[in-house]
Amino acid sequence: MTDRERQKRRSNARLAGRLLLMAAGSFAFGYALVPLYDVFCEVTGIGSRDRLTQAAVVEAFGPDVSRTVVVEFVSSTPGTGDWEFHPNVASMEVHPGQLYETTFHARNLTGREIIGQAVPSVSPARAARYFQKTECFCFTPQHFETDEVKDMPVRFIVGRDLPTGVDRLTLSYSFFDSGRFARQGAADNG
């Protein structure tokens, strides 16, 4: 074997080692991304599904009646016409620190029994930590019989410490058939 061939083999071996190191680093970064995202959400108070779906505790202080905040309610059913889903009221004027209740209307239009799941979001994102639900249909999957209709409650409090520049919040729910993805996966694999 000539010097040139040995040098080329060493060069190829170094390149292969670097590529393996880069692949391992990419895998480690991807693996660490989920816990890093959770830490980011915990620090900033935004984007955490756990925080959005946990029941809040009613504050010991009374409501701030000197301040009014408008809470808008929005709904969507991503990608299907299998649901009738909407808020029963479009918006409410609330006082921070006071407990309120509203309902969302849902109807199963699939022609079969299904399980629905709601995914909430609050905007603006910087105000999400101040919107606290004490009861919500989003906490658990909802079972629907064929053509069943439900008015599902949401009890909430807008925190007294909501920044003064925020006078409007939007509570949005995406409602979907949670079993649909399982059925699609089974059909794709079967």
Side-chain angles (χ1 to χ4, degrees), residues 100-128:
Y100 290 90
E101 181 175 317
T102 189
T103 56
F104 279 71
H105 174 87
R107 180 176 177 206
N108 173 8
L109 302 174
T110 63
R112 60 180 159 62
E113 196 176 294
I114 57 173
I115 296 177
Q117 180 67 53
V119 177
S121 68
V122 177
S123 61
R126 69 184 177 111

Side-chain angles (χ1 to χ4, degrees), residues 66-82:
S66 68
R67 185 169 177 202
T68 302
V69 176
V70 174
V71 178
E72 297 174 328
F73 304 102
V74 178
S75 64
S76 68
T77 53
T80 70
D82 298 341

